[in-house]
Coordinates of all heavy atoms in Angstrom, one line a residue:
M1 N -70.7 20.7 -48.7 CA -70.2 21.4 -49.9 C -69.9 22.8 -49.5 O -70.7 23.5 -49.0 CB -71.2 21.3 -51.0 CG -70.9 22.2 -52.1 SD -72.2 22.3 -53.4 CE -71.8 20.8 -54.2
P2 N -68.7 23.3 -49.9 CA -68.4 24.7 -49.6 C -69.3 25.6 -50.4 O -69.6 25.3 -51.6 CB -66.9 24.8 -50.1 CG -66.4 23.4 -50.2 CD -67.6 22.5 -50.4
T3 N -69.6 26.7 -49.9 CA -70.5 27.6 -50.6 C -70.0 28.9 -50.9 O -70.5 29.7 -51.7 CB -71.8 27.8 -49.7 OG1 -71.4 28.4 -48.5 CG2 -72.5 26.6 -49.5
G4 N -68.8 29.3 -50.4 CA -68.4 30.7 -50.7 C -67.0 30.7 -51.3 O -66.2 29.8 -51.2
G5 N -66.7 31.8 -52.0 CA -65.4 32.0 -52.6 C -65.0 31.0 -53.6 O -65.8 30.2 -54.1
S6 N -63.7 31.0 -53.9 CA -63.2 30.1 -54.9 C -62.5 28.9 -54.2 O -61.3 28.7 -54.2 CB -62.1 30.8 -55.8 OG -62.7 31.9 -56.4
S7 N -63.3 28.1 -53.6 CA -62.8 27.0 -52.7 C -62.3 25.8 -53.5 O -61.6 25.0 -52.9 CB -63.9 26.6 -51.7 OG -65.1 26.2 -52.4
R8 N -62.8 25.6 -54.7 CA -62.4 24.3 -55.4 C -61.7 24.6 -56.7 O -62.4 24.6 -57.7 CB -63.6 23.4 -55.6 CG -64.1 22.9 -54.2 CD -65.1 21.9 -54.4 NE -64.6 20.7 -55.1 CZ -65.4 19.8 -55.5 NH1 -66.7 19.8 -55.3 NH2 -64.9 18.7 -56.2
G9 N -60.4 25.0 -56.7 CA -59.7 25.2 -57.9 C -60.2 26.4 -58.7 O -60.1 26.3 -60.0
G10 N -60.6 27.4 -58.1 CA -61.1 28.6 -58.8 C -62.4 28.5 -59.5 O -62.7 29.3 -60.4
E11 N -63.2 27.5 -59.2 CA -64.4 27.3 -59.8 C -65.4 28.4 -59.5 O -66.3 28.6 -60.3 CB -65.0 25.9 -59.4 CG -64.3 24.8 -59.8 CD -64.9 23.5 -59.2 OE1 -66.1 23.5 -59.0 OE2 -64.1 22.6 -58.8
G12 N -65.4 29.0 -58.4 CA -66.4 29.9 -58.0 C -67.5 29.2 -57.2 O -67.6 28.0 -57.2
P13 N -68.3 30.0 -56.5 CA -69.3 29.4 -55.7 C -70.5 28.9 -56.4 O -70.9 29.5 -57.4 CB -69.6 30.5 -54.7 CG -69.4 31.8 -55.5 CD -68.2 31.4 -56.4
L14 N -71.1 27.8 -55.9 CA -72.4 27.4 -56.4 C -73.3 28.0 -55.3 O -72.9 28.3 -54.2 CB -72.5 25.9 -56.5 CG -71.8 25.3 -57.7 CD1 -72.0 23.8 -57.7 CD2 -72.4 25.9 -59.0
P15 N -74.6 28.1 -55.5 CA -75.5 28.6 -54.6 C -75.5 27.8 -53.2 O -75.2 26.7 -53.2 CB -76.9 28.5 -55.2 CG -76.6 28.2 -56.6 CD -75.2 27.6 -56.8
R16 N -76.0 28.5 -52.2 CA -76.0 27.8 -50.9 C -77.0 26.7 -50.9 O -76.8 25.7 -50.2 CB -76.5 28.8 -49.8 CG -75.4 29.9 -49.5 CD -75.8 30.7 -48.3 NE -74.8 31.7 -48.1 CZ -73.7 31.5 -47.4 NH1 -73.4 30.3 -46.9 NH2 -72.8 32.5 -47.2
E17 N -78.1 26.8 -51.6 CA -79.1 25.7 -51.7 C -78.8 25.0 -53.0 O -79.3 25.4 -54.1 CB -80.5 26.3 -51.7 CG -80.9 26.8 -50.4 CD -81.0 25.7 -49.3 OE1 -81.3 24.6 -49.6 OE2 -80.6 26.0 -48.2
P18 N -78.1 23.9 -53.0 CA -77.7 23.2 -54.2 C -78.8 22.6 -55.0 O -78.7 22.3 -56.2 CB -76.7 22.1 -53.8 CG -77.0 21.9 -52.4 CD -77.5 23.2 -51.8
R19 N -80.0 22.5 -54.4 CA -81.1 21.9 -55.1 C -81.9 23.0 -55.9 O -82.9 22.7 -56.5 CB -82.1 21.2 -54.1 CG -81.4 20.1 -53.4 CD -81.2 18.9 -54.3 NE -80.5 17.9 -53.6 CZ -79.8 17.0 -54.2 NH1 -79.6 17.0 -55.5 NH2 -79.2 16.1 -53.5
E20 N -81.4 24.2 -55.9 CA -82.1 25.3 -56.6 C -81.5 25.2 -58.1 O -80.5 25.8 -58.4 CB -81.7 26.7 -56.0 CG -82.4 26.9 -54.7 CD -83.9 27.1 -54.8 OE1 -84.3 27.7 -55.8 OE2 -84.6 26.8 -53.9
G21 N -82.2 24.5 -58.9 CA -81.8 24.3 -60.3 C -81.5 25.6 -61.1 O -80.5 25.7 -61.8
T22 N -82.4 26.6 -61.0 CA -82.2 27.8 -61.7 C -80.9 28.5 -61.2 O -80.2 29.1 -62.0 CB -83.4 28.7 -61.5 OG1 -84.6 28.0 -61.9 CG2 -83.3 30.0 -62.3
A23 N -80.7 28.6 -59.9 CA -79.6 29.2 -59.4 C -78.3 28.5 -59.8 O -77.3 29.2 -60.1 CB -79.7 29.3 -57.8
I24 N -78.3 27.2 -59.8 CA -77.1 26.5 -60.3 C -76.8 26.8 -61.7 O -75.7 27.0 -62.1 CB -77.3 25.0 -60.0 CG1 -77.2 24.7 -58.5 CG2 -76.2 24.2 -60.7 CD1 -77.4 23.3 -58.1
L25 N -77.9 26.8 -62.6 CA -77.7 27.1 -64.0 C -77.1 28.5 -64.2 O -76.2 28.7 -65.0 CB -79.0 26.9 -64.7 CG -78.9 27.1 -66.2 CD1 -77.9 26.2 -66.9 CD2 -80.3 27.0 -66.9
E26 N -77.6 29.4 -63.4 CA -77.1 30.8 -63.5 C -75.7 30.9 -63.1 O -74.9 31.6 -63.7 CB -78.0 31.7 -62.7 CG -79.3 32.0 -63.3 CD -80.3 32.8 -62.3 OE1 -79.8 33.2 -61.2 OE2 -81.4 33.0 -62.7
A27 N -75.3 30.1 -62.1 CA -73.9 30.1 -61.7 C -73.0 29.5 -62.8 O -71.9 30.0 -63.0 CB -73.7 29.2 -60.4
C28 N -73.5 28.5 -63.5 CA -72.7 28.0 -64.6 C -72.6 29.0 -65.7 O -71.5 29.1 -66.3 CB -73.4 26.7 -65.1 SG -73.4 25.3 -64.0
L29 N -73.7 29.7 -66.0 CA -73.6 30.6 -67.1 C -72.8 31.9 -66.7 O -72.2 32.5 -67.6 CB -75.1 31.0 -67.5 CG -75.9 29.9 -68.0 CD1 -77.3 30.4 -68.3 CD2 -75.3 29.3 -69.3
R30 N -72.7 32.2 -65.5 CA -71.9 33.4 -65.0 C -70.4 33.1 -65.3 O -69.6 34.0 -65.4 CB -72.1 33.7 -63.6 CG -73.3 34.5 -63.3 CD -73.2 35.1 -61.9 NE -73.0 34.0 -60.9 CZ -74.0 33.4 -60.2 NH1 -75.2 33.7 -60.4 NH2 -73.6 32.5 -59.3
A31 N -70.1 31.8 -65.3 CA -68.7 31.4 -65.5 C -68.2 31.4 -66.9 O -67.2 30.9 -67.3 CB -68.4 30.1 -64.9
A32 N -69.0 32.1 -67.8 CA -68.7 32.1 -69.2 C -67.3 32.6 -69.6 O -66.8 32.2 -70.6 CB -69.8 32.8 -70.0
Q33 N -66.8 33.5 -68.8 CA -65.5 34.0 -69.1 C -64.3 33.2 -68.5 O -63.2 33.5 -68.7 CB -65.4 35.5 -68.6 CG -66.5 36.4 -69.2 CD -66.4 36.4 -70.7 OE1 -65.3 36.4 -71.3 NE2 -67.5 36.4 -71.4
A34 N -64.7 32.2 -67.7 CA -63.7 31.4 -67.1 C -63.0 30.5 -68.1 O -63.6 30.2 -69.2 CB -64.3 30.5 -66.0
P35 N -61.8 30.0 -67.8 CA -61.2 29.0 -68.8 C -62.1 27.8 -68.9 O -62.8 27.4 -68.0 CB -59.9 28.6 -68.0 CG -59.7 29.7 -67.0 CD -61.0 30.2 -66.7
P36 N -61.9 27.1 -70.1 CA -62.8 25.9 -70.4 C -62.7 24.8 -69.3 O -63.7 24.2 -68.9 CB -62.3 25.4 -71.7 CG -61.6 26.5 -72.3 CD -61.1 27.4 -71.2
R37 N -61.5 24.6 -68.8 CA -61.4 23.5 -67.7 C -62.2 23.9 -66.5 O -62.9 23.0 -65.9 CB -59.9 23.4 -67.4 CG -59.7 22.4 -66.3 CD -58.2 22.0 -66.2 NE -57.8 21.5 -64.9 CZ -58.2 20.4 -64.3 NH1 -59.2 19.7 -64.8 NH2 -57.8 20.0 -63.2
V38 N -62.2 25.1 -66.1 CA -63.0 25.6 -64.9 C -64.5 25.5 -65.2 O -65.2 25.0 -64.3 CB -62.6 27.0 -64.6 CG1 -63.5 27.6 -63.5 CG2 -61.1 27.1 -64.1
R39 N -64.9 25.9 -66.4 CA -66.3 25.8 -66.7 C -66.8 24.3 -66.7 O -67.9 24.0 -66.2 CB -66.6 26.4 -68.1 CG -66.5 27.9 -68.1 CD -67.0 28.4 -69.4 NE -66.5 27.8 -70.6 CZ -65.6 28.3 -71.4 NH1 -64.9 29.4 -71.0 NH2 -65.2 27.7 -72.5
C40 N -66.0 23.4 -67.2 CA -66.3 22.0 -67.2 C -66.4 21.5 -65.7 O -67.3 20.7 -65.4 CB -65.3 21.2 -68.0 SG -65.5 21.3 -69.7
L41 N -65.5 21.9 -64.9 CA -65.6 21.5 -63.4 C -66.9 22.0 -62.8 O -67.5 21.3 -62.0 CB -64.4 22.0 -62.7 CG -63.1 21.3 -63.0 CD1 -61.9 22.1 -62.3 CD2 -63.1 19.9 -62.6
I42 N -67.3 23.3 -63.1 CA -68.5 23.8 -62.6 C -69.7 23.0 -63.0 O -70.6 22.6 -62.3 CB -68.6 25.3 -62.9 CG1 -67.6 26.1 -62.2 CG2 -70.0 25.8 -62.6 CD1 -67.5 27.5 -62.6
Y43 N -69.7 22.7 -64.4 CA -70.8 21.9 -64.9 C -70.9 20.5 -64.3 O -71.9 20.0 -64.0 CB -70.8 21.8 -66.4 CG -71.4 23.0 -67.1 CD1 -70.6 23.9 -67.9 CD2 -72.7 23.3 -67.0 CE1 -71.2 25.0 -68.5 CE2 -73.3 24.3 -67.7 CZ -72.5 25.2 -68.4 OH -73.1 26.3 -69.1
E44 N -69.7 19.9 -64.1 CA -69.7 18.6 -63.5 C -70.3 18.6 -62.1 O -71.0 17.7 -61.7 CB -68.2 18.1 -63.4 CG -67.7 17.6 -64.7 CD -68.3 16.3 -65.3 OE1 -68.9 15.5 -64.5 OE2 -68.3 16.1 -66.5
R45 N -69.9 19.6 -61.3 CA -70.5 19.8 -60.0 C -72.0 19.9 -60.1 O -72.8 19.4 -59.3 CB -69.9 20.9 -59.2 CG -68.5 20.6 -58.7 CD -67.9 21.8 -58.0 NE -68.6 22.1 -56.8 CZ -68.6 23.3 -56.2 NH1 -67.8 24.2 -56.7 NH2 -69.3 23.5 -55.1
A46 N -72.4 20.7 -61.0 CA -73.9 21.0 -61.2 C -74.7 19.8 -61.5 O -75.7 19.5 -61.0 CB -74.1 22.1 -62.2
V47 N -74.2 19.0 -62.5 CA -74.9 17.8 -62.9 C -74.8 16.7 -61.8 O -75.7 15.9 -61.8 CB -74.5 17.2 -64.3 CG1 -74.7 18.3 -65.4 CG2 -73.0 16.8 -64.3
K48 N -73.8 16.8 -61.0 CA -73.7 15.9 -59.9 C -74.8 16.2 -58.8 O -75.4 15.3 -58.2 CB -72.4 15.9 -59.2 CG -72.1 14.7 -58.3 CD -70.7 14.8 -57.8 CE -69.7 14.4 -58.9 NZ -68.3 14.2 -58.4
E49 N -75.1 17.5 -58.6 CA -76.1 17.9 -57.7 C -77.5 17.7 -58.2 O -78.4 17.3 -57.5 CB -75.9 19.4 -57.3 CG -74.7 19.7 -56.5 CD -74.8 19.1 -55.1 OE1 -76.0 19.1 -54.5 OE2 -73.8 18.7 -54.6
L50 N -77.7 18.0 -59.5 CA -79.0 17.8 -60.1 C -78.9 17.0 -61.4 O -79.0 17.5 -62.5 CB -79.6 19.2 -60.4 CG -80.0 20.1 -59.2 CD1 -80.3 21.5 -59.7 CD2 -81.1 19.5 -58.5
P51 N -78.7 15.7 -61.3 CA -78.5 14.9 -62.4 C -79.7 14.8 -63.4 O -79.6 14.4 -64.5 CB -78.2 13.5 -61.9 CG -78.7 13.5 -60.5 CD -78.7 14.9 -60.0
G52 N -80.9 15.1 -62.9 CA -82.1 15.1 -63.8 C -82.4 16.4 -64.4 O -83.5 16.5 -65.1
S53 N -81.6 17.4 -64.3 CA -81.9 18.7 -64.9 C -81.5 18.8 -66.4 O -80.3 18.8 -66.7 CB -81.1 19.8 -64.1 OG -81.3 21.0 -64.8
Y54 N -82.5 18.8 -67.2 CA -82.3 18.9 -68.6 C -81.5 20.2 -69.0 O -80.6 20.1 -69.8 CB -83.7 18.9 -69.4 CG -83.5 19.1 -70.9 CD1 -83.2 18.0 -71.7 CD2 -83.7 20.3 -71.4 CE1 -83.1 18.1 -73.0 CE2 -83.6 20.5 -72.8 CZ -83.3 19.4 -73.6 OH -83.1 19.6 -74.9
K55 N -81.9 21.3 -68.4 CA -81.3 22.6 -68.8 C -79.8 22.6 -68.5 O -79.0 23.1 -69.3 CB -81.9 23.7 -68.1 CG -83.3 24.0 -68.6 CD -83.9 25.2 -67.9 CE -85.3 25.6 -68.4 NZ -85.8 26.7 -67.7
I56 N -79.4 22.0 -67.3 CA -78.0 22.0 -67.0 C -77.2 21.0 -67.9 O -76.2 21.4 -68.4 CB -77.8 21.6 -65.5 CG1 -78.3 22.7 -64.6 CG2 -76.3 21.4 -65.2 CD1 -78.4 22.4 -63.2
W57 N -77.8 19.9 -68.1 CA -77.1 18.9 -69.1 C -77.0 19.5 -70.5 O -76.0 19.4 -71.1 CB -77.9 17.6 -69.1 CG -77.5 16.6 -68.0 CD1 -78.3 16.3 -67.0 CD2 -76.3 15.9 -67.9 NE1 -77.6 15.4 -66.2 CE2 -76.3 15.1 -66.7 CE3 -75.1 15.9 -68.6 CZ2 -75.3 14.3 -66.3 CZ3 -74.0 15.1 -68.2 CH2 -74.1 14.3 -67.1
Y58 N -78.1 20.1 -70.9 CA -78.1 20.7 -72.3 C -77.0 21.8 -72.4 O -76.2 21.7 -73.4 CB -79.5 21.3 -72.6 CG -79.6 21.8 -74.0 CD1 -79.9 20.9 -75.0 CD2 -79.5 23.2 -74.3 CE1 -80.0 21.4 -76.3 CE2 -79.6 23.6 -75.6 CZ -79.9 22.7 -76.6 OH -80.0 23.2 -77.9
A59 N -76.9 22.7 -71.4 CA -75.9 23.7 -71.5 C -74.5 23.1 -71.4 O -73.5 23.5 -72.2 CB -76.1 24.7 -70.4
Y60 N -74.3 22.1 -70.6 CA -73.0 21.4 -70.4 C -72.6 20.7 -71.7 O -71.5 20.8 -72.2 CB -73.1 20.4 -69.3 CG -71.8 19.7 -69.0 CD1 -70.5 20.3 -69.1 CD2 -71.8 18.3 -68.7 CE1 -69.4 19.6 -68.8 CE2 -70.7 17.6 -68.4 CZ -69.4 18.2 -68.5 OH -68.3 17.5 -68.3
L61 N -73.5 19.9 -72.3 CA -73.2 19.2 -73.5 C -72.9 20.2 -74.7 O -72.1 19.9 -75.5 CB -74.3 18.2 -73.9 CG -74.5 17.1 -72.9 CD1 -75.8 16.3 -73.2 CD2 -73.3 16.2 -72.8
K62 N -73.7 21.2 -74.7 CA -73.4 22.3 -75.8 C -72.0 22.8 -75.6 O -71.3 23.0 -76.6 CB -74.4 23.4 -75.6 CG -74.5 24.3 -76.7 CD -75.7 25.3 -76.6 CE -75.6 26.4 -77.5 NZ -76.7 27.3 -77.3
E63 N -71.6 23.1 -74.4 CA -70.2 23.5 -74.1 C -69.2 22.5 -74.5 O -68.2 22.9 -75.2 CB -70.1 23.8 -72.6 CG -68.8 24.1 -72.1 CD -68.5 25.6 -72.1 OE1 -69.4 26.4 -72.1 OE2 -67.3 26.0 -72.2
R64 N -69.4 21.3 -74.2 CA -68.5 20.2 -74.6 C -68.4 20.1 -76.2 O -67.3 19.9 -76.7 CB -69.0 18.9 -74.1 CG -68.6 18.7 -72.6 CD -67.2 18.5 -72.4 NE -66.9 18.0 -71.1 CZ -65.7 17.6 -70.7 NH1 -64.7 17.7 -71.5 NH2 -65.5 17.2 -69.5
M65 N -69.6 20.2 -76.8 CA -69.6 20.1 -78.3 C -68.8 21.3 -78.9 O -68.1 21.1 -79.9 CB -71.0 20.0 -78.8 CG -71.7 18.7 -78.5 SD -70.8 17.3 -79.1 CE -71.0 17.5 -80.9
N66 N -69.0 22.4 -78.4 CA -68.3 23.6 -78.9 C -66.8 23.5 -78.7 O -66.0 23.9 -79.5 CB -68.8 24.9 -78.2 CG -70.1 25.3 -78.7 OD1 -70.6 24.9 -79.8 ND2 -70.8 26.0 -77.9
A67 N -66.4 22.8 -77.6 CA -64.9 22.6 -77.3 C -64.3 21.7 -78.3 O -63.1 21.8 -78.6 CB -64.8 22.1 -75.9
V68 N -65.0 20.7 -78.8 CA -64.4 19.7 -79.7 C -64.7 20.0 -81.2 O -64.2 19.2 -82.1 CB -64.8 18.3 -79.3 CG1 -64.3 18.0 -78.0 CG2 -66.3 18.1 -79.5
S69 N -65.5 21.0 -81.5 CA -65.9 21.2 -82.9 C -64.8 21.4 -83.9 O -64.9 21.0 -85.0 CB -66.9 22.4 -83.0 OG -66.2 23.6 -82.6
D70 N -63.7 22.0 -83.5 CA -62.5 22.2 -84.4 C -61.4 21.2 -84.2 O -60.4 21.3 -84.9 CB -61.9 23.6 -84.1 CG -62.9 24.7 -84.4 OD1 -63.8 24.5 -85.3 OD2 -62.8 25.8 -83.8
L71 N -61.6 20.1 -83.4 CA -60.6 19.1 -83.2 C -60.8 17.9 -84.1 O -61.9 17.7 -84.6 CB -60.6 18.7 -81.7 CG -60.4 19.8 -80.7 CD1 -60.5 19.2 -79.3 CD2 -59.0 20.4 -80.9
C72 N -59.7 17.2 -84.2 CA -59.8 15.9 -85.0 C -60.6 14.9 -84.1 O -60.5 14.9 -82.9 CB -58.4 15.4 -85.2 SG -58.3 13.8 -86.0
I73 N -61.3 14.0 -84.8 CA -62.2 13.1 -84.1 C -61.4 12.1 -83.2 O -61.9 11.5 -82.3 CB -63.1 12.3 -85.1 CG1 -64.2 11.7 -84.3 CG2 -62.3 11.3 -85.9 CD1 -65.4 11.3 -85.2
T74 N -60.1 11.9 -83.5 CA -59.3 11.0 -82.7 C -58.7 11.7 -81.4 O -58.0 11.1 -80.6 CB -58.1 10.4 -83.5 OG1 -57.3 11.5 -84.0 CG2 -58.7 9.6 -84.7
D75 N -59.0 13.0 -81.2 CA -58.5 13.7 -80.1 C -59.2 13.2 -78.8 O -60.3 12.8 -78.8 CB -58.8 15.2 -80.2 CG -58.1 16.1 -79.2 OD1 -58.4 16.0 -78.0 OD2 -57.2 16.8 -79.7
S76 N -58.4 13.2 -77.7 CA -59.0 12.6 -76.4 C -60.1 13.5 -75.9 O -60.9 13.0 -75.1 CB -57.9 12.6 -75.4 OG -57.4 13.9 -75.1
K77 N -60.2 14.7 -76.3 CA -61.4 15.6 -75.9 C -62.7 15.0 -76.4 O -63.7 15.2 -75.8 CB -61.2 17.0 -76.3 CG -60.0 17.7 -75.7 CD -60.2 18.0 -74.3 CE -59.0 18.8 -73.8 NZ -59.1 19.0 -72.4
Y78 N -62.7 14.3 -77.5 CA -63.9 13.7 -78.0 C -64.4 12.6 -77.1 O -65.5 12.4 -76.9 CB -63.6 13.2 -79.5 CG -64.1 14.1 -80.5 CD1 -63.2 14.9 -81.2 CD2 -65.4 14.1 -81.0 CE1 -63.7 15.8 -82.2 CE2 -65.9 14.9 -81.9 CZ -65.0 15.8 -82.5 OH -65.4 16.6 -83.5
E79 N -63.4 11.9 -76.6 CA -63.8 10.8 -75.6 C -64.5 11.4 -74.4 O -65.4 10.9 -73.9 CB -62.6 10.0 -75.3 CG -62.9 8.8 -74.4 CD -63.8 7.8 -75.1 OE1 -63.7 7.6 -76.3 OE2 -64.7 7.2 -74.4
E80 N -63.9 12.5 -73.9 CA -64.5 13.2 -72.8 C -65.9 13.7 -73.1 O -66.9 13.6 -72.3 CB -63.6 14.4 -72.3 CG -62.3 13.9 -71.8 CD -61.4 15.1 -71.5 OE1 -61.9 16.3 -71.5 OE2 -60.2 14.9 -71.3
A81 N -66.1 14.2 -74.3 CA -67.5 14.7 -74.7 C -68.4 13.5 -74.8 O -69.6 13.6 -74.4 CB -67.4 15.5 -76.0
N82 N -68.0 12.4 -75.4 CA -68.8 11.2 -75.5 C -69.2 10.7 -74.1 O -70.3 10.2 -73.9 CB -68.1 10.2 -76.3 CG -68.1 10.5 -77.8 OD1 -68.9 11.3 -78.3 ND2 -67.1 9.9 -78.5
S83 N -68.2 10.7 -73.2 CA -68.5 10.3 -71.9 C -69.6 11.1 -71.2 O -70.5 10.6 -70.5 CB -67.2 10.3 -71.0 OG -67.5 10.0 -69.7
A84 N -69.5 12.4 -71.4 CA -70.6 13.3 -70.9 C -71.9 13.0 -71.5 O -72.9 13.0 -70.8 CB -70.2 14.8 -71.1
F85 N -72.0 12.7 -72.8 CA -73.2 12.4 -73.4 C -73.8 11.1 -72.9 O -75.0 10.9 -72.6 CB -73.1 12.2 -75.0 CG -73.4 13.5 -75.7 CD1 -72.4 14.3 -76.1 CD2 -74.7 13.8 -76.1 CE1 -72.6 15.5 -76.8 CE2 -75.0 14.9 -76.8 CZ -73.9 15.8 -77.1
D86 N -72.9 10.1 -72.7 CA -73.3 8.8 -72.1 C -73.9 9.0 -70.7 O -75.0 8.4 -70.4 CB -72.1 7.8 -72.0 CG -71.7 7.3 -73.4 OD1 -72.4 7.5 -74.3 OD2 -70.5 6.8 -73.4
R87 N -73.3 9.8 -69.9 CA -73.8 10.0 -68.5 C -75.2 10.8 -68.6 O -76.1 10.5 -67.8 CB -72.8 10.8 -67.7 CG -71.6 9.9 -67.3 CD -70.7 10.6 -66.4 NE -69.9 11.6 -67.2 CZ -69.8 12.9 -66.9 NH1 -70.3 13.4 -65.8 NH2 -69.1 13.7 -67.7
A88 N -75.3 11.7 -69.5 CA -76.6 12.4 -69.7 C -77.7 11.5 -70.1 O -78.8 11.6 -69.6 CB -76.4 13.6 -70.7
L89 N -77.4 10.5 -70.9 CA -78.4 9.6 -71.4 C -78.9 8.7 -70.3 O -80.0 8.2 -70.3 CB -77.9 8.8 -72.6 CG -77.8 9.6 -73.9 CD1 -77.1 8.8 -75.0 CD2 -79.2 10.0 -74.3
V90 N -78.0 8.4 -69.3 CA -78.4 7.6 -68.2 C -79.5 8.3 -67.4 O -80.5 7.7 -67.0 CB -77.2 7.3 -67.2 CG1 -77.7 6.7 -65.9 CG2 -76.2 6.4 -67.9
F91 N -79.4 9.6 -67.2 CA -80.4 10.3 -66.4 C -81.5 10.9 -67.3 O -82.6 11.1 -66.8 CB -79.7 11.5 -65.7 CG -78.7 11.0 -64.7 CD1 -77.4 11.1 -64.9 CD2 -79.2 10.4 -63.5 CE1 -76.4 10.7 -63.9 CE2 -78.2 9.9 -62.6 CZ -76.9 10.1 -62.8
L92 N -81.3 11.2 -68.5 CA -82.3 11.8 -69.4 C -82.7 10.9 -70.6 O -82.8 11.4 -71.7 CB -81.7 13.2 -69.9 CG -81.3 14.1 -68.8 CD1 -80.6 15.3 -69.5 CD2 -82.4 14.5 -67.9
H93 N -82.9 9.7 -70.3 CA -83.2 8.7 -71.3 C -84.5 9.0 -72.1 O -84.7 8.5 -73.2 CB -83.2 7.3 -70.8 CG -84.1 7.1 -69.7 ND1 -83.8 7.4 -68.4 CD2 -85.4 6.5 -69.6 CE1 -84.9 7.2 -67.6 NE2 -85.8 6.6 -68.3
K94 N -85.4 9.8 -71.5 CA -86.6 10.1 -72.2 C -86.6 11.5 -72.9 O -87.6 12.0 -73.2 CB -87.8 10.1 -71.2 CG -88.0 8.7 -70.6 CD -89.2 8.7 -69.7 CE -89.5 7.3 -69.2 NZ -90.7 7.2 -68.4
M95 N -85.4 12.0 -73.1 CA -85.3 13.4 -73.7 C -84.6 13.2 -75.1 O -83.4 13.2 -75.2 CB -84.4 14.3 -72.8 CG -84.9 14.5 -71.5 SD -86.4 15.6 -71.6 CE -86.8 15.8 -69.9
P96 N -85.4 13.0 -76.1 CA -84.8 12.8 -77.4 C -83.9 13.8 -78.0 O -83.0 13.6 -78.8 CB -86.0 12.6 -78.3 CG -87.2 13.1 -77.6 CD -86.8 13.1 -76.1
R97 N -84.1 15.1 -77.5 CA -83.2 16.1 -78.0 C -81.7 15.9 -77.6 O -80.8 16.2 -78.3 CB -83.7 17.5 -77.5 CG -82.9 18.6 -78.1 CD -83.7 19.8 -78.3 NE -82.9 20.7 -79.2 CZ -83.4 21.8 -79.6 NH1 -84.7 22.1 -79.4 NH2 -82.7 22.6 -80.3
I98 N -81.6 15.3 -76.4 CA -80.2 15.0 -76.0 C -79.6 13.9 -76.9 O -78.5 13.9 -77.2 CB -80.2 14.5 -74.5 CG1 -80.6 15.7 -73.6 CG2 -78.9 13.9 -74.1 CD1 -79.5 16.7 -73.4
W99 N -80.5 12.9 -77.3 CA -80.0 11.8 -78.1 C -79.4 12.3 -79.4 O -78.5 11.8 -80.0 CB -81.1 10.9 -78.5 CG -81.8 10.2 -77.4 CD1 -81.4 10.1 -76.1 CD2 -83.1 9.6 -77.4 NE1 -82.3 9.4 -75.3 CE2 -83.4 9.1 -76.1 CE3 -84.0 9.4 -78.4 CZ2 -84.5 8.4 -75.8 CZ3 -85.2 8.7 -78.1 CH2 -85.4 8.2 -76.8
R100 N -80.1 13.3 -80.0 CA -79.7 13.9 -81.3 C -78.5 14.8 -81.2 O -78.0 15.3 -82.3 CB -80.9 14.6 -82.0 CG -82.0 13.6 -82.4 CD -83.0 14.4 -83.2 NE -84.2 14.3 -82.4 CZ -85.0 15.4 -82.1 NH1 -84.7 16.5 -82.6 NH2 -86.0 15.3 -81.3
G101 N -78.1 15.2 -80.1 CA -77.0 16.2 -79.9 C -77.7 17.5 -79.6 O -78.8 17.7 -79.4
T102 N -76.8 18.5 -79.5 CA -77.3 19.8 -79.0 C -77.3 20.8 -80.0 O -77.6 22.0 -79.7 CB -76.3 20.3 -77.8 OG1 -75.0 20.4 -78.4 CG2 -76.4 19.4 -76.7
R103 N -77.2 20.5 -81.3 CA -77.2 21.5 -82.3 C -78.5 21.6 -83.0 O -79.3 20.8 -83.1 CB -76.1 21.2 -83.3 CG -74.8 21.4 -82.6 CD -73.7 21.2 -83.6 NE -72.5 21.1 -82.8 CZ -71.4 21.8 -83.0 NH1 -71.4 22.7 -84.0 NH2 -70.4 21.7 -82.3

């Protein structure tokens, strides 16, 4: 995995030690000013590295919910958000707060 610069579509670097959950979460939160597509790519990489991290999934799902909050329910972005929730439930099936949503 590349560690420096904007090596993957302008996503920005993730920490050198990908198993450092706090560092990965901080990298995701630092990207708050990035475009939504870039933030989603960063979160996707983060949850791929640490699929059992409640904090990363929670922040990612919250991001996804905020992105679709003003859209019609038939919009394709809702399907993407639902897919993210489904994947989170696979890894975090014992976390009821994820079941209820992030609000």
